[in-house]
Amino acid sequence: LTRRVREQATSARERAARTHRLYALTGELAAARTDADVVRVALHHLAGLVEGSVAYLEPQAGTGMVVVASQPPEHWPVEELAVARWCFDRQQPAGAGTSTLPASRARYLPIVGSGATLGVMGLILRTDGPVDRTSDRSVLTAMVEQVAVALD
């Protein structure tokens, strides 16, 4: 019984923390005045959630992708940019932790606005990081959706 009560208390704290993260992101996105502000706010909050590196990528002329901003600043190899492009073109997650191109170093999530992909969020997750649970992936997805609304 004691163990179950502890687990329930831990679960309640984790839910509260996830709700707080989403609420804080939404508030700061609402105050953002430019797309650059939106990207800066998003990177800050997502980096805190995944406890790793985060990048916002946009399509480059032709078939490439370019890192617009990252936190912390990091070099993204051309192989990773190809995975980001796949994600962008198909509006589907790809990379680490997915069934598509899982050998990638990062997980890529499309930022989809009104029917069009605006960009891609790349996340280099810690291998033992917090975004491996379904509940945390849900918060991550909700955060990316909020970024899409703010950029659209």
Side-chain angles (χ1 to χ4, degrees), residues 109-138:
L109 302 172
I111 308 293
V112 182
S114 307
T117 309
L118 306 171
V120 171
M121 205 58 80
L123 308 118
I124 298 177
L125 311 173
R126 283 188 5 204
T127 54
D128 61 341
V131 186
D132 290 330
R133 296 183 304 243
T134 301
S135 57
D136 291 322
R137 283 193 303 262
S138 297

Short mmCIF file of all heavy atoms in Angstrom, two decimals, residues 109-138:
data_model
loop_
_atom_site.label_atom_id
_atom_site.label_comp_id
_atom_site.label_asym_id
_atom_site.label_seq_id
_atom_site.Cartn_x
_atom_site.Cartn_y
_atom_site.Cartn_z
N LEU A 109 10.75 16.11 -35.50
CA LEU A 109 9.30 16.29 -35.47
C LEU A 109 8.92 17.44 -36.40
O LEU A 109 9.49 18.53 -36.30
CB LEU A 109 8.83 16.61 -34.05
CG LEU A 109 9.19 15.56 -33.00
CD1 LEU A 109 8.85 16.08 -31.61
CD2 LEU A 109 8.47 14.26 -33.28
N PRO A 110 7.97 17.20 -37.29
CA PRO A 110 7.57 18.27 -38.22
C PRO A 110 6.77 19.36 -37.51
O PRO A 110 5.98 19.07 -36.61
CB PRO A 110 6.71 17.53 -39.25
CG PRO A 110 6.15 16.38 -38.50
CD PRO A 110 7.21 15.98 -37.50
N ILE A 111 7.00 20.59 -37.90
CA ILE A 111 6.21 21.72 -37.43
C ILE A 111 5.21 22.01 -38.55
O ILE A 111 5.57 22.58 -39.58
CB ILE A 111 7.10 22.97 -37.18
CG1 ILE A 111 8.28 22.63 -36.28
CG2 ILE A 111 6.27 24.12 -36.65
CD1 ILE A 111 7.93 22.29 -34.88
N VAL A 112 3.98 21.56 -38.36
CA VAL A 112 2.97 21.65 -39.42
C VAL A 112 1.97 22.75 -39.09
O VAL A 112 1.33 22.72 -38.05
CB VAL A 112 2.24 20.30 -39.60
CG1 VAL A 112 1.22 20.39 -40.73
CG2 VAL A 112 3.25 19.19 -39.88
N GLY A 113 1.88 23.72 -40.01
CA GLY A 113 0.92 24.81 -39.87
C GLY A 113 -0.35 24.48 -40.62
O GLY A 113 -0.75 23.32 -40.69
N SER A 114 -0.96 25.44 -41.20
CA SER A 114 -2.22 25.27 -41.92
C SER A 114 -2.01 24.47 -43.20
O SER A 114 -2.00 25.02 -44.30
CB SER A 114 -2.82 26.63 -42.27
OG SER A 114 -2.93 27.43 -41.14
N GLY A 115 -1.81 23.18 -43.04
CA GLY A 115 -1.67 22.31 -44.20
C GLY A 115 -0.27 22.24 -44.79
O GLY A 115 -0.02 21.46 -45.69
N ALA A 116 0.64 23.06 -44.32
CA ALA A 116 2.00 23.06 -44.86
C ALA A 116 3.01 22.85 -43.73
O ALA A 116 2.79 23.29 -42.60
CB ALA A 116 2.28 24.38 -45.57
N THR A 117 4.10 22.21 -44.06
CA THR A 117 5.17 22.04 -43.07
C THR A 117 5.99 23.32 -43.04
O THR A 117 6.46 23.80 -44.07
CB THR A 117 6.07 20.85 -43.45
OG1 THR A 117 5.25 19.70 -43.68
CG2 THR A 117 7.04 20.54 -42.33
N LEU A 118 6.14 23.89 -41.86
CA LEU A 118 6.87 25.15 -41.69
C LEU A 118 8.35 24.91 -41.41
O LEU A 118 9.19 25.72 -41.76
CB LEU A 118 6.26 25.94 -40.54
CG LEU A 118 4.75 26.20 -40.64
CD1 LEU A 118 4.23 26.79 -39.34
CD2 LEU A 118 4.46 27.11 -41.82
N GLY A 119 8.64 23.81 -40.76
CA GLY A 119 10.01 23.50 -40.38
C GLY A 119 10.03 22.17 -39.65
O GLY A 119 9.04 21.43 -39.63
N VAL A 120 11.16 21.89 -39.03
CA VAL A 120 11.35 20.64 -38.29
C VAL A 120 12.09 20.95 -37.00
O VAL A 120 13.00 21.78 -36.98
CB VAL A 120 12.17 19.63 -39.13
CG1 VAL A 120 12.57 18.42 -38.32
CG2 VAL A 120 11.40 19.22 -40.37
N MET A 121 11.67 20.31 -35.93
CA MET A 121 12.38 20.41 -34.66
C MET A 121 13.22 19.14 -34.52
O MET A 121 12.69 18.03 -34.61
CB MET A 121 11.37 20.51 -33.51
CG MET A 121 11.89 21.20 -32.29
SD MET A 121 12.50 22.89 -32.50
CE MET A 121 11.00 23.84 -32.52
N GLY A 122 14.52 19.30 -34.36
CA GLY A 122 15.42 18.17 -34.15
C GLY A 122 15.82 18.11 -32.70
O GLY A 122 16.17 19.13 -32.10
N LEU A 123 15.76 16.92 -32.11
CA LEU A 123 16.04 16.76 -30.69
C LEU A 123 17.04 15.63 -30.48
O LEU A 123 16.77 14.49 -30.86
CB LEU A 123 14.75 16.42 -29.93
CG LEU A 123 13.60 17.38 -30.20
CD1 LEU A 123 12.45 16.65 -30.84
CD2 LEU A 123 13.17 18.07 -28.94
N ILE A 124 18.18 15.96 -29.92
CA ILE A 124 19.16 14.94 -29.55
C ILE A 124 18.88 14.61 -28.10
O ILE A 124 19.15 15.41 -27.20
CB ILE A 124 20.60 15.41 -29.76
CG1 ILE A 124 20.84 15.72 -31.23
CG2 ILE A 124 21.57 14.34 -29.26
CD1 ILE A 124 22.22 16.27 -31.53
N LEU A 125 18.29 13.44 -27.89
CA LEU A 125 17.86 13.04 -26.56
C LEU A 125 18.97 12.32 -25.82
O LEU A 125 19.76 11.60 -26.42
CB LEU A 125 16.66 12.09 -26.67
CG LEU A 125 15.52 12.54 -27.58
CD1 LEU A 125 14.51 11.42 -27.72
CD2 LEU A 125 14.87 13.78 -27.04
N ARG A 126 18.98 12.51 -24.50
CA ARG A 126 19.86 11.67 -23.69
C ARG A 126 19.36 10.24 -23.81
O ARG A 126 18.16 10.00 -23.86
CB ARG A 126 19.79 12.08 -22.22
CG ARG A 126 20.53 13.31 -21.89
CD ARG A 126 20.58 13.56 -20.40
NE ARG A 126 19.99 12.47 -19.63
CZ ARG A 126 19.51 12.61 -18.40
NH1 ARG A 126 19.53 13.76 -17.82
NH2 ARG A 126 19.00 11.59 -17.76
N THR A 127 20.25 9.27 -23.83
CA THR A 127 19.82 7.88 -23.97
C THR A 127 18.97 7.43 -22.79
O THR A 127 18.11 6.59 -22.94
CB THR A 127 21.02 6.94 -24.12
OG1 THR A 127 21.91 7.16 -23.03
CG2 THR A 127 21.73 7.18 -25.43
N ASP A 128 19.19 8.01 -21.63
CA ASP A 128 18.38 7.66 -20.47
C ASP A 128 17.47 8.83 -20.10
O ASP A 128 17.05 8.98 -18.97
CB ASP A 128 19.28 7.30 -19.28
CG ASP A 128 20.17 8.48 -18.86
OD1 ASP A 128 20.35 9.41 -19.67
OD2 ASP A 128 20.67 8.46 -17.73
N GLY A 129 17.19 9.67 -21.08
CA GLY A 129 16.45 10.90 -20.84
C GLY A 129 14.97 10.70 -20.56
O GLY A 129 14.44 9.60 -20.63
N PRO A 130 14.30 11.79 -20.25
CA PRO A 130 12.92 11.73 -19.80
C PRO A 130 11.89 11.56 -20.90
O PRO A 130 10.74 11.34 -20.60
CB PRO A 130 12.74 13.10 -19.11
CG PRO A 130 13.68 13.99 -19.83
CD PRO A 130 14.85 13.12 -20.19
N VAL A 131 12.25 11.65 -22.16
CA VAL A 131 11.23 11.63 -23.21
C VAL A 131 11.04 10.23 -23.79
O VAL A 131 10.58 10.06 -24.90
CB VAL A 131 11.57 12.66 -24.31
CG1 VAL A 131 10.47 12.76 -25.34
CG2 VAL A 131 11.77 14.02 -23.69
N ASP A 132 11.37 9.22 -23.04
CA ASP A 132 11.16 7.87 -23.51
C ASP A 132 9.82 7.31 -23.05
O ASP A 132 9.36 6.29 -23.55
CB ASP A 132 12.29 6.95 -23.05
CG ASP A 132 13.59 7.27 -23.77
OD1 ASP A 132 13.52 7.74 -24.93
OD2 ASP A 132 14.65 7.08 -23.18
N ARG A 133 9.17 7.96 -22.11
CA ARG A 133 7.86 7.51 -21.66
C ARG A 133 6.77 8.11 -22.55
O ARG A 133 6.90 9.22 -23.06
CB ARG A 133 7.63 7.95 -20.21
CG ARG A 133 8.59 7.31 -19.24
CD ARG A 133 8.26 7.73 -17.84
NE ARG A 133 8.27 9.18 -17.73
CZ ARG A 133 9.10 9.87 -16.97
NH1 ARG A 133 9.98 9.27 -16.26
NH2 ARG A 133 9.03 11.18 -16.92
N THR A 134 5.69 7.40 -22.70
CA THR A 134 4.58 7.84 -23.55
C THR A 134 4.04 9.19 -23.09
O THR A 134 3.77 10.07 -23.90
CB THR A 134 3.45 6.79 -23.53
OG1 THR A 134 3.98 5.57 -24.00
CG2 THR A 134 2.29 7.22 -24.40
N SER A 135 3.91 9.39 -21.79
CA SER A 135 3.36 10.65 -21.26
C SER A 135 4.25 11.83 -21.64
O SER A 135 3.76 12.91 -21.99
CB SER A 135 3.20 10.57 -19.75
OG SER A 135 4.43 10.25 -19.14
N ASP A 136 5.57 11.64 -21.60
CA ASP A 136 6.48 12.72 -21.95
C ASP A 136 6.50 12.97 -23.45
O ASP A 136 6.65 14.10 -23.90
CB ASP A 136 7.89 12.43 -21.42
CG ASP A 136 7.93 12.50 -19.90
OD1 ASP A 136 7.26 13.38 -19.33
OD2 ASP A 136 8.62 11.68 -19.29
N ARG A 137 6.35 11.91 -24.24
CA ARG A 137 6.25 12.10 -25.69
C ARG A 137 5.00 12.90 -26.03
O ARG A 137 5.01 13.71 -26.95
CB ARG A 137 6.25 10.75 -26.41
CG ARG A 137 7.63 10.12 -26.49
CD ARG A 137 7.68 8.97 -27.46
NE ARG A 137 6.72 7.92 -27.15
CZ ARG A 137 6.99 6.81 -26.49
NH1 ARG A 137 8.21 6.59 -26.06
NH2 ARG A 137 6.06 5.92 -26.27
N SER A 138 3.94 12.69 -25.27
CA SER A 138 2.70 13.44 -25.50
C SER A 138 2.90 14.93 -25.23
O SER A 138 2.42 15.78 -25.97
CB SER A 138 1.56 12.91 -24.61
OG SER A 138 1.28 11.58 -24.94
#
